[in-house]
Amino acid sequence: MGFYSAHPTASTAWRLAVLMGANARTYKFALADALIEHASEGRSSVTLRELATSYTSAIIRHSADGPQAPASMKLAPKDFLTLVNKFREAFPVDAPPTEELVDAAVRAMPGMVMQKFHNLRGGVETPHRFYSLRASGRDAVVDFTAALKAVAGSTELHSLSSELDARWQIVEASFASGVGQSLMGQGLGVDLSLEHLLEKRRRRPVAGLTAAVVGFQYGRCLICWEPLEPFDSVAIDHVFPFSLMNSGRAVIDPHIDLDAVWNLAPAHASCNGQKSNRPPTRVEIFRLGQRNEAIMLSPHPLRRTLELSLALGGFQAGEGSWHKFLASVL
């Protein structure tokens, strides 16, 4: 996959699993959260029960904010999410999971989410695997691979965790009753004052813009291409600035929204300040095209948001479509 080959690291493989894996439910996100929790403690393995406890706690925590499966999905009485919903009705949101609920996770995880975590769309897998399962039942142990240890020990860990949470929130929004169709039809909007992605219909913040898209540019500043570190001051750059609308040197189609996701990129605040209103360089346009092509490989609704922008510019989604679109802007 081009996204990985451009930056062949364990962190990029992790981003493939989190940002570009298909999501019928949110189980992959809960597993990713649990893996990072234990691997960042320096551990090389955990019992399946320990992992299941963290996994279940993450789902309980998130289920207070939004649905963990499409609202249209009918859950069976013994479905794990049915059990989670019953738990939430009976206990406060910060209560630890019961032994019975963890038991259910231990039974379900090996044949469900742990088999699918490394799967990507198109029948391929991530270039690295992050764990293996040893033994079964109550004696099962989850061994962490060198790739997971590299992710947990990376300077990018803070960014990777933020990206995971943002992707989780976006998928929850798409699952919410009545909102999914809106997101599919209209995509996500942007509130630049809050630097958040929005449900257009209700103007409700969904996730932070930087966390939602920065992973598709490998956690780097689009301008200087150096990493965006946790304590860096970050700005949202309009890659094609508004000044081009009235410059006399170029006229941008008024139907093209420069405040949309396709044209917004996290950058160092200092780089953004130095760039000011100048047009983007060829390198910056190429990076933006690559970033947008990567987003097009992710599940809805973020992909749908970019599809709608392409359509307004007169282009259909397909290989190289973003590079063609960007070449037509000026």
Side-chain angles (χ1 to χ4, degrees), residues 47-130:
T47 66
L48 176 58
R49 188 168 193 83
E50 287 178 291
L51 191 68
T53 301
S54 297
Y55 166 87
T56 305
S57 297
I59 290 182
I60 291 170
R61 187 170 64 250
H62 262 266
S63 65
D65 299 324
Q68 305 304 297
S72 59
M73 181 180 291
K74 293 183 179 180
L75 301 176
K78 294 185 178 181
D79 190 289
F80 183 66
L81 286 182
T82 300
L83 301 180
V84 169
N85 292 336
K86 288 182 178 179
F87 173 89
R88 285 196 55 245
E89 292 171 359
F91 297 93
V93 70
D94 58 349
T98 61
E99 292 294 308
E100 292 79 9
L101 193 53
V102 175
D103 285 341
V106 168
R107 291 192 300 269
M109 289 171 66
M112 183 184 56
V113 64
M114 294 188 75
Q115 281 194 2
K116 298 178 179 179
F117 184 81
H118 300 100
N119 294 350
L120 301 173
R121 297 169 63 216
V124 298
E125 288 194 350
T126 56
H128 295 284
R129 296 186 71 84
F130 298 101

Coordinates of all heavy atoms in Angstrom, one line a residue, residues 47-130:
T47 N -2.0 -11.4 30.2 CA -3.0 -12.5 30.0 C -4.2 -11.9 29.2 O -4.4 -10.7 29.2 CB -3.5 -12.9 31.4 OG1 -4.3 -11.8 32.0 CG2 -2.4 -13.4 32.3
L48 N -4.9 -12.8 28.5 CA -6.0 -12.4 27.8 C -7.0 -11.7 28.7 O -7.7 -10.7 28.3 CB -6.7 -13.6 27.1 CG -8.0 -13.3 26.3 CD1 -7.7 -12.3 25.2 CD2 -8.5 -14.6 25.7
R49 N -7.1 -12.2 29.9 CA -8.1 -11.6 30.8 C -7.7 -10.1 31.2 O -8.6 -9.3 31.3 CB -8.2 -12.4 32.1 CG -9.3 -11.9 33.0 CD -9.7 -12.9 34.1 NE -10.9 -12.5 34.7 CZ -12.1 -12.8 34.3 NH1 -12.2 -13.6 33.2 NH2 -13.2 -12.4 34.9
E50 N -6.4 -9.9 31.4 CA -6.0 -8.5 31.6 C -6.4 -7.6 30.4 O -6.9 -6.5 30.6 CB -4.5 -8.4 31.9 CG -4.0 -9.0 33.2 CD -2.5 -9.0 33.3 OE1 -1.9 -9.7 32.6 OE2 -2.0 -8.2 34.1
L51 N -6.1 -8.1 29.2 CA -6.4 -7.3 28.0 C -7.9 -7.1 27.9 O -8.3 -6.0 27.5 CB -5.8 -8.0 26.8 CG -5.8 -7.2 25.5 CD1 -4.8 -6.0 25.6 CD2 -5.5 -8.1 24.3
A52 N -8.7 -8.1 28.2 CA -10.1 -8.1 28.1 C -10.7 -7.1 29.0 O -11.7 -6.4 28.7 CB -10.7 -9.4 28.3
T53 N -10.1 -7.0 30.2 CA -10.6 -6.0 31.2 C -10.4 -4.6 30.7 O -11.3 -3.7 30.8 CB -9.8 -6.2 32.6 OG1 -10.1 -7.5 33.0 CG2 -10.3 -5.2 33.6
S54 N -9.2 -4.3 30.2 CA -9.0 -2.9 29.6 C -9.8 -2.7 28.4 O -10.4 -1.6 28.2 CB -7.5 -2.8 29.2 OG -6.7 -2.9 30.4
Y55 N -10.0 -3.7 27.6 CA -10.8 -3.6 26.4 C -12.3 -3.3 26.7 O -12.9 -2.4 26.2 CB -10.7 -4.9 25.6 CG -11.7 -5.2 24.5 CD1 -11.5 -4.8 23.2 CD2 -12.9 -5.9 24.8 CE1 -12.4 -5.1 22.2 CE2 -13.8 -6.3 23.8 CZ -13.5 -5.8 22.5 OH -14.4 -6.1 21.5
T56 N -12.8 -4.0 27.7 CA -14.2 -3.8 28.1 C -14.4 -2.4 28.8 O -15.4 -1.7 28.5 CB -14.6 -4.9 29.1 OG1 -14.4 -6.2 28.5 CG2 -16.1 -4.8 29.5
S57 N -13.4 -2.0 29.6 CA -13.5 -0.7 30.2 C -13.5 0.4 29.2 O -14.2 1.4 29.3 CB -12.3 -0.5 31.2 OG -12.3 -1.4 32.2
A58 N -12.7 0.3 28.1 CA -12.7 1.3 27.0 C -14.1 1.4 26.3 O -14.5 2.5 26.0 CB -11.6 1.0 26.0
I59 N -14.7 0.3 26.1 CA -16.0 0.3 25.4 C -17.0 0.9 26.3 O -17.9 1.7 25.9 CB -16.4 -1.2 25.0 CG1 -15.5 -1.6 23.8 CG2 -17.8 -1.2 24.6 CD1 -15.8 -3.0 23.3
I60 N -17.0 0.5 27.6 CA -17.9 1.1 28.5 C -17.8 2.6 28.6 O -18.8 3.4 28.5 CB -17.7 0.5 29.9 CG1 -18.1 -0.9 30.0 CG2 -18.5 1.3 31.0 CD1 -17.7 -1.6 31.3
R61 N -16.6 3.1 28.6 CA -16.3 4.5 28.7 C -16.8 5.2 27.5 O -17.5 6.3 27.6 CB -14.8 4.7 28.8 CG -14.4 6.2 29.1 CD -12.9 6.2 29.5 NE -12.0 5.8 28.4 CZ -11.3 4.6 28.4 NH1 -11.4 3.8 29.4 NH2 -10.5 4.3 27.4
H62 N -16.6 4.7 26.3 CA -17.0 5.3 25.1 C -18.5 5.2 24.8 O -19.1 6.0 24.2 CB -16.3 4.7 23.9 CG -15.1 5.6 23.5 ND1 -15.2 6.5 22.5 CD2 -13.8 5.6 23.9 CE1 -14.0 7.1 22.4 NE2 -13.2 6.6 23.2
S63 N -19.1 4.1 25.3 CA -20.5 3.9 25.1 C -21.4 4.9 25.7 O -22.6 5.1 25.4 CB -21.0 2.5 25.5 OG -20.8 2.3 26.9
A64 N -20.8 5.7 26.7 CA -21.6 6.8 27.3 C -21.7 8.0 26.4 O -22.5 8.8 26.6 CB -20.9 7.2 28.6
D65 N -20.8 8.0 25.4 CA -20.8 9.2 24.4 C -21.5 8.9 23.1 O -21.9 9.8 22.4 CB -19.3 9.6 24.1 CG -18.6 10.0 25.4 OD1 -19.2 10.6 26.3 OD2 -17.4 9.7 25.5
G66 N -21.6 7.6 22.7 CA -22.2 7.3 21.5 C -22.3 5.8 21.2 O -21.7 5.0 22.0
P67 N -23.1 5.4 20.2 CA -23.3 4.0 20.0 C -22.0 3.4 19.4 O -21.3 4.0 18.7 CB -24.4 4.0 18.9 CG -24.3 5.3 18.2 CD -23.9 6.3 19.3
Q68 N -21.9 2.1 19.8 CA -20.7 1.4 19.4 C -20.9 0.4 18.2 O -20.1 -0.3 17.8 CB -20.1 0.6 20.6 CG -19.8 1.4 21.8 CD -18.8 2.6 21.5 OE1 -17.7 2.4 21.1 NE2 -19.3 3.8 21.6
A69 N -22.1 0.5 17.7 CA -22.5 -0.2 16.5 C -23.6 0.6 15.8 O -24.2 1.5 16.4 CB -23.1 -1.6 16.8
P70 N -23.9 0.4 14.5 CA -24.9 1.2 13.8 C -26.3 1.1 14.6 O -26.6 0.0 15.0 CB -25.0 0.6 12.4 CG -23.6 0.0 12.2 CD -23.2 -0.5 13.6
A71 N -27.0 2.2 14.7 CA -28.3 2.2 15.4 C -29.3 1.2 14.7 O -30.1 0.7 15.4 CB -28.8 3.6 15.4
S72 N -29.1 1.0 13.4 CA -30.0 0.1 12.7 C -29.7 -1.4 13.0 O -30.5 -2.2 12.6 CB -29.9 0.4 11.2 OG -28.6 0.1 10.8
M73 N -28.6 -1.7 13.6 CA -28.2 -3.1 13.8 C -29.0 -3.6 15.0 O -29.0 -3.1 16.1 CB -26.7 -3.2 14.1 CG -26.2 -4.6 14.3 SD -24.4 -4.7 14.7 CE -23.8 -4.2 13.0
K74 N -29.6 -4.8 14.8 CA -30.4 -5.4 15.9 C -29.4 -6.4 16.6 O -28.8 -7.3 16.1 CB -31.5 -6.2 15.3 CG -32.6 -5.3 14.8 CD -33.8 -6.1 14.3 CE -34.9 -5.2 13.7 NZ -36.1 -6.0 13.3
L75 N -29.2 -6.1 17.9 CA -28.3 -6.9 18.7 C -29.0 -8.0 19.4 O -30.1 -7.9 19.9 CB -27.6 -6.0 19.8 CG -26.9 -4.7 19.3 CD1 -26.4 -3.9 20.5 CD2 -25.7 -5.2 18.4
A76 N -28.4 -9.2 19.3 CA -28.9 -10.4 19.9 C -28.8 -10.3 21.4 O -28.0 -9.5 22.0 CB -28.2 -11.6 19.5
P77 N -29.7 -11.0 22.2 CA -29.7 -10.9 23.7 C -28.3 -11.2 24.3 O -28.0 -10.6 25.3 CB -30.7 -11.9 24.1 CG -31.6 -12.0 22.9 CD -30.8 -11.9 21.7
K78 N -27.5 -12.1 23.7 CA -26.2 -12.4 24.3 C -25.1 -11.7 23.6 O -23.9 -12.0 23.8 CB -26.0 -13.9 24.2 CG -27.0 -14.7 25.1 CD -26.7 -16.2 25.2 CE -27.6 -16.9 26.1 NZ -27.3 -18.4 26.1
D79 N -25.4 -10.8 22.7 CA -24.3 -10.0 22.0 C -23.5 -9.2 23.0 O -24.1 -8.7 24.0 CB -25.0 -9.0 21.0 CG -24.0 -8.3 20.1 OD1 -23.2 -7.5 20.6 OD2 -24.0 -8.7 18.9
F80 N -22.3 -9.1 22.8 CA -21.4 -8.4 23.8 C -21.9 -7.0 24.1 O -21.9 -6.5 25.2 CB -19.9 -8.4 23.3 CG -19.0 -7.8 24.3 CD1 -18.8 -8.4 25.6 CD2 -18.3 -6.6 24.0 CE1 -17.9 -7.8 26.5 CE2 -17.5 -6.0 24.9 CZ -17.3 -6.6 26.2
L81 N -22.3 -6.3 23.0 CA -22.7 -4.9 23.2 C -24.1 -4.8 24.0 O -24.3 -3.9 24.7 CB -22.9 -4.2 21.8 CG -21.6 -3.8 21.2 CD1 -21.8 -3.0 19.9 CD2 -20.7 -2.9 22.1
T82 N -24.9 -5.9 23.8 CA -26.1 -5.9 24.6 C -25.8 -6.0 26.1 O -26.4 -5.4 26.9 CB -27.0 -7.2 24.2 OG1 -27.3 -7.1 22.8 CG2 -28.2 -7.3 25.0
L83 N -24.7 -6.8 26.4 CA -24.3 -7.0 27.8 C -23.7 -5.7 28.3 O -23.9 -5.3 29.5 CB -23.3 -8.1 27.9 CG -23.8 -9.5 27.4 CD1 -22.6 -10.5 27.6 CD2 -25.0 -9.9 28.2
V84 N -23.0 -5.0 27.4 CA -22.4 -3.7 27.8 C -23.5 -2.7 28.1 O -23.5 -1.9 29.1 CB -21.5 -3.1 26.7 CG1 -21.1 -1.7 27.0 CG2 -20.2 -4.0 26.6
N85 N -24.5 -2.6 27.3 CA -25.7 -1.7 27.5 C -26.4 -2.0 28.8 O -26.8 -1.1 29.5 CB -26.6 -1.8 26.3 CG -26.0 -1.2 25.0 OD1 -25.1 -0.4 25.1 ND2 -26.5 -1.6 23.9
K86 N -26.5 -3.3 29.1 CA -27.2 -3.7 30.4 C -26.3 -3.2 31.6 O -26.8 -2.8 32.6 CB -27.4 -5.2 30.4 CG -28.5 -5.7 29.5 CD -28.8 -7.2 29.6 CE -29.9 -7.6 28.7 NZ -30.1 -9.1 28.8
F87 N -25.0 -3.4 31.4 CA -24.1 -3.0 32.5 C -24.3 -1.5 32.7 O -24.3 -1.0 33.8 CB -22.7 -3.3 32.1 CG -21.6 -2.7 33.0 CD1 -21.2 -3.5 34.1 CD2 -21.1 -1.5 32.8 CE1 -20.3 -2.9 35.0 CE2 -20.1 -1.0 33.7 CZ -19.7 -1.7 34.8
R88 N -24.3 -0.7 31.6 CA -24.4 0.8 31.8 C -25.7 1.2 32.4 O -25.8 2.2 33.1 CB -24.3 1.4 30.4 CG -22.8 1.4 29.8 CD -22.7 2.4 28.7 NE -23.1 3.7 29.1 CZ -24.1 4.4 28.6 NH1 -24.9 3.8 27.7 NH2 -24.4 5.6 29.0
E89 N -26.7 0.4 32.2 CA -28.0 0.7 32.8 C -28.0 0.5 34.3 O -28.7 1.1 35.1 CB -29.1 -0.1 32.2 CG -29.4 0.3 30.8 CD -30.4 -0.7 30.1 OE1 -30.8 -1.7 30.8 OE2 -30.7 -0.5 28.9
A90 N -27.1 -0.4 34.8 CA -27.1 -0.9 36.2 C -26.0 -0.2 37.0 O -26.1 -0.2 38.2 CB -26.9 -2.4 36.2
F91 N -24.9 0.3 36.3 CA -23.8 0.9 37.0 C -23.4 2.2 36.5 O -23.7 2.6 35.4 CB -22.6 -0.1 36.9 CG -22.8 -1.5 37.5 CD1 -23.3 -2.5 36.6 CD2 -22.5 -1.7 38.8 CE1 -23.4 -3.8 37.2 CE2 -22.7 -3.0 39.3 CZ -23.1 -4.0 38.5
P92 N -22.7 3.0 37.4 CA -22.2 4.3 36.9 C -21.2 4.1 35.8 O -20.5 3.0 35.7 CB -21.6 4.9 38.1 CG -21.8 4.0 39.3 CD -22.4 2.8 38.8
V93 N -20.9 5.1 35.0 CA -20.1 5.0 33.8 C -18.6 4.7 34.2 O -17.8 4.1 33.5 CB -20.2 6.2 32.9 CG1 -19.5 7.4 33.6 CG2 -19.5 6.0 31.6
D94 N -18.2 5.1 35.5 CA -16.8 4.9 35.9 C -16.7 3.7 36.7 O -15.6 3.4 37.2 CB -16.4 6.1 36.7 CG -17.2 6.4 37.9 OD1 -18.3 5.8 38.0 OD2 -16.8 7.2 38.8
A95 N -17.7 2.8 36.8 CA -17.6 1.6 37.5 C -16.7 0.6 36.7 O -16.8 0.5 35.5 CB -19.0 1.0 37.8
P96 N -15.9 -0.2 37.4 CA -15.1 -1.2 36.7 C -16.1 -2.3 36.1 O -17.1 -2.6 36.7 CB -14.2 -1.8 37.8 CG -14.9 -1.5 39.1 CD -15.7 -0.2 38.8
P97 N -15.7 -3.0 35.1 CA -16.6 -4.0 34.5 C -16.7 -5.2 35.5 O -15.8 -5.5 36.2 CB -15.8 -4.4 33.2 CG -14.4 -4.0 33.4 CD -14.5 -2.8 34.3
T98 N -17.8 -5.8 35.4 CA -18.1 -7.0 36.3 C -17.3 -8.2 35.7 O -16.9 -8.2 34.6 CB -19.6 -7.4 36.3 OG1 -20.0 -7.7 34.9 CG2 -20.4 -6.2 36.8
E99 N -17.1 -9.2 36.6 CA -16.4 -10.4 36.2 C -17.2 -11.1 35.0 O -16.6 -11.6 34.1 CB -16.3 -11.4 37.4 CG -15.4 -11.0 38.5 CD -14.0 -10.9 38.1 OE1 -13.5 -11.9 37.5 OE2 -13.3 -9.9 38.2
E100 N -18.5 -11.0 35.1 CA -19.3 -11.7 34.0 C -19.1 -11.0 32.7 O -19.0 -11.6 31.6 CB -20.8 -11.6 34.4 CG -21.2 -12.5 35.6 CD -20.8 -11.9 36.9 OE1 -20.4 -10.7 37.0 OE2 -21.0 -12.6 37.9
L101 N -19.0 -9.6 32.7 CA -18.8 -8.9 31.4 C -17.4 -9.2 30.9 O -17.2 -9.4 29.7 CB -18.9 -7.4 31.7 CG -19.1 -6.5 30.4 CD1 -20.2 -7.0 29.5 CD2 -19.4 -5.1 30.8
V102 N -16.4 -9.2 31.8 CA -15.0 -9.6 31.3 C -15.0 -11.0 30.8 O -14.3 -11.3 29.8 CB -14.0 -9.4 32.4 CG1 -12.6 -9.8 32.0 CG2 -13.9 -7.9 32.9
D103 N -15.7 -11.9 31.4 CA -15.7 -13.3 31.0 C -16.3 -13.3 29.5 O -15.8 -14.1 28.7 CB -16.6 -14.1 31.9 CG -16.0 -14.5 33.2 OD1 -14.7 -14.5 33.3 OD2 -16.7 -14.9 34.1
A104 N -17.3 -12.5 29.3 CA -17.9 -12.5 27.9 C -16.9 -12.0 26.9 O -16.8 -12.5 25.8 CB -19.1 -11.6 27.9
A105 N -16.1 -11.0 27.3 CA -15.1 -10.5 26.4 C -14.0 -11.5 26.1 O -13.5 -11.7 25.0 CB -14.4 -9.2 27.0
V106 N -13.6 -12.2 27.2 CA -12.5 -13.3 27.0 C -13.0 -14.3 26.0 O -12.2 -14.8 25.2 CB -12.2 -13.9 28.4 CG1 -11.4 -15.2 28.2 CG2 -11.5 -12.9 29.3
R107 N -14.3 -14.7 26.1 CA -14.8 -15.7 25.2 C -14.9 -15.2 23.8 O -14.6 -15.9 22.8 CB -16.2 -16.1 25.7 CG -16.2 -16.9 26.9 CD -17.6 -17.6 27.2 NE -18.6 -16.6 27.3 CZ -19.0 -16.1 28.4 NH1 -18.4 -16.4 29.6 NH2 -20.0 -15.2 28.5
A108 N -15.3 -13.9 23.6 CA -15.5 -13.4 22.3 C -14.3 -12.9 21.5 O -14.2 -13.0 20.3 CB -16.6 -12.2 22.4
M109 N -13.4 -12.3 22.2 CA -12.3 -11.6 21.6 C -11.4 -12.4 20.6 O -11.1 -12.0 19.5 CB -11.4 -10.9 22.6 CG -12.0 -9.7 23.2 SD -11.1 -9.0 24.6 CE -9.6 -8.4 23.8
P110 N -11.0 -13.6 21.0 CA -10.1 -14.4 20.2 C -10.7 -14.7 18.8 O -10.0 -14.7 17.8 CB -9.8 -15.7 21.0 CG -10.0 -15.3 22.4 CD -11.1 -14.3 22.3
G111 N -12.0 -15.0 18.8 CA -12.6 -15.4 17.5 C -13.2 -14.2 16.8 O -13.9 -14.4 15.7
M112 N -13.1 -13.0 17.3 CA -13.8 -11.9 16.7 C -12.7 -10.8 16.5 O -12.0 -10.8 15.5 CB -14.9 -11.4 17.7 CG -15.7 -10.2 17.2 SD -16.9 -9.7 18.5 CE -15.8 -9.4 19.9
V113 N -12.6 -9.8 17.3 CA -11.8 -8.6 17.1 C -10.3 -9.0 16.9 O -9.6 -8.4 16.1 CB -12.0 -7.6 18.1 CG1 -11.6 -8.0 19.5 CG2 -11.3 -6.3 17.8
M114 N -9.8 -9.9 17.7 CA -8.4 -10.3 17.6 C -8.0 -10.9 16.3 O -6.9 -10.9 15.9 CB -8.0 -11.1 18.8 CG -8.1 -10.4 20.1 SD -7.4 -11.2 21.5 CE -5.7 -11.0 21.3
Q115 N -9.0 -11.6 15.7 CA -8.7 -12.1 14.3 C -8.8 -11.1 13.2 O -8.1 -11.2 12.2 CB -9.8 -13.2 14.0 CG -9.5 -14.5 14.7 CD -10.3 -15.6 14.1 OE1 -11.1 -15.4 13.1 NE2 -10.2 -16.8 14.6
K116 N -9.5 -10.0 13.5 CA -9.8 -9.0 12.4 C -8.9 -7.7 12.6 O -9.0 -6.9 11.6 CB -11.3 -8.6 12.4 CG -12.2 -9.8 12.1 CD -13.7 -9.4 12.2 CE -14.6 -10.5 11.9 NZ -16.0 -10.1 12.0
F117 N -8.2 -7.6 13.7 CA -7.6 -6.3 13.9 C -6.6 -5.9 12.8 O -6.5 -4.7 12.4 CB -6.8 -6.3 15.2 CG -6.2 -5.0 15.6 CD1 -6.9 -4.0 16.2 CD2 -4.8 -4.8 15.4 CE1 -6.4 -2.8 16.5 CE2 -4.3 -3.6 15.7 CZ -5.0 -2.6 16.3
H118 N -5.9 -6.8 12.2 CA -4.9 -6.5 11.2 C -5.5 -6.5 9.8 O -4.7 -6.2 8.9 CB -3.8 -7.6 11.3 CG -3.1 -7.6 12.6 ND1 -3.3 -8.6 13.5 CD2 -2.1 -6.8 13.1 CE1 -2.6 -8.4 14.6 NE2 -1.8 -7.3 14.4
N119 N -6.8 -6.7 9.7 CA -7.4 -6.8 8.3 C -7.6 -5.3 7.8 O -8.1 -4.5 8.6 CB -8.7 -7.5 8.4 CG -8.5 -9.0 8.7 OD1 -7.4 -9.5 8.7 ND2 -9.6 -9.7 8.9
L120 N -7.4 -5.2 6.5 CA -7.7 -3.9 5.9 C -8.7 -4.2 4.7 O -8.9 -5.3 4.4 CB -6.4 -3.3 5.3 CG -5.3 -3.0 6.3 CD1 -4.0 -2.5 5.6 CD2 -5.7 -1.9 7.3
R121 N -9.2 -3.1 4.2 CA -10.1 -3.3 3.0 C -9.4 -3.9 1.9 O -8.2 -3.7 1.7 CB -10.7 -1.9 2.6 CG -11.5 -1.3 3.7 CD -11.9 0.2 3.4 NE -12.7 0.3 2.2 CZ -12.5 1.3 1.4 NH1 -11.6 2.2 1.5 NH2 -13.3 1.3 0.3
G122 N -10.1 -4.7 1.1 CA -9.5 -5.3 -0.1 C -8.8 -6.6 0.2 O -8.1 -7.2 -0.6
G123 N -9.1 -7.2 1.4 CA -8.5 -8.5 1.7 C -7.1 -8.6 2.0 O -6.4 -9.6 1.9
V124 N -6.4 -7.4 2.4 CA -5.0 -7.4 2.7 C -4.9 -7.1 4.2 O -5.8 -6.8 4.9 CB -4.3 -6.3 1.9 CG1 -4.3 -6.7 0.4 CG2 -4.8 -4.9 2.2
E125 N -3.7 -7.3 4.7 CA -3.4 -7.1 6.1 C -2.4 -6.0 6.3 O -1.7 -5.6 5.4 CB -2.9 -8.4 6.8 CG -3.9 -9.5 7.0 CD -3.5 -10.5 7.9 OE1 -2.2 -10.5 8.3 OE2 -4.3 -11.4 8.4
T126 N -2.2 -5.5 7.5 CA -1.2 -4.5 7.9 C 0.2 -5.2 7.7 O 0.3 -6.4 7.8 CB -1.3 -4.1 9.3 OG1 -1.3 -5.2 10.2 CG2 -2.6 -3.3 9.6
P127 N 1.2 -4.4 7.3 CA 2.5 -4.9 7.0 C 3.1 -5.5 8.3 O 4.1 -6.4 8.2 CB 3.3 -3.7 6.5 CG 2.3 -2.8 6.1 CD 1.1 -3.0 7.0
H128 N 2.7 -5.1 9.5 CA 3.2 -5.7 10.7 C 2.0 -6.2 11.5 O 0.9 -5.6 11.5 CB 3.9 -4.6 11.6 CG 5.1 -4.0 11.0 ND1 6.3 -4.7 11.0 CD2 5.4 -2.8 10.3 CE1 7.3 -4.0 10.4 NE2 6.7 -2.8 10.0
R129 N 2.3 -7.3 12.3 CA 1.3 -7.7 13.3 C 1.8 -7.2 14.6 O 3.0 -7.1 14.9 CB 1.2 -9.2 13.2 CG 0.6 -9.8 11.9 CD 0.4 -11.3 12.0 NE -0.7 -11.6 12.8 CZ -2.0 -11.6 12.4 NH1 -2.3 -11.3 11.2 NH2 -3.0 -12.0 13.2
F130 N 0.8 -7.0 15.5 CA 1.1 -6.3 16.8 C 1.0 -7.3 18.0 O 1.4 -6.9 19.1 CB 0.2 -5.1 16.9 CG 0.5 -4.1 15.9 CD1 -0.4 -4.0 14.8 CD2 1.6 -3.3 15.9 CE1 -0.2 -3.0 13.8 CE2 1.8 -2.3 14.9 CZ 0.9 -2.2 13.8

